[in-house]
Each structure stands twice: as C-alpha cells, then as structure tokens.
Amino acid sequence: SPILAMARVRAGAAADPVACYRAAGYRDAVAQARPAKAGASGSGIV
C-alpha cells in the first residue's frame, strides 16, 4: 500500500522490496552458484 511504501522510504529502505530483490538478480546468481541436485524435488523456498 502507499502508506507502507512511504514508511519504508522514510526508514531508508526500498519502497517496493520485492521489486528491488527481483531487479538485483540475486535469485539467478544464487541458482548458478548452487546448481540443483539430481533427483531433488526443487520445492524449497522461492
């Protein structure tokens, strides 16, 4: 919501933390650093 976004910005954080996370490319970098194990279900934290 806009109120939460304003509070985050005033606290020095990102207005939209999920968009910031996605833009950083962290998930893709970690996926390359930690390849999937053979036979694993892949149903971990997303």
Side-chain angles (χ1 to χ4, degrees), residues 1-2 4-10 12-24:
S1 75
L4 289 175
M6 188 182 339
R8 287 187 194 105
V9 170
R10 287 182 180 175
D16 186 356
V18 175
C20 187
Y21 169 80
R22 289 177 178 156

Side-chain angles (χ1 to χ4, degrees), residues 35-43:
K37 295 180 183 177
S41 68
S43 61

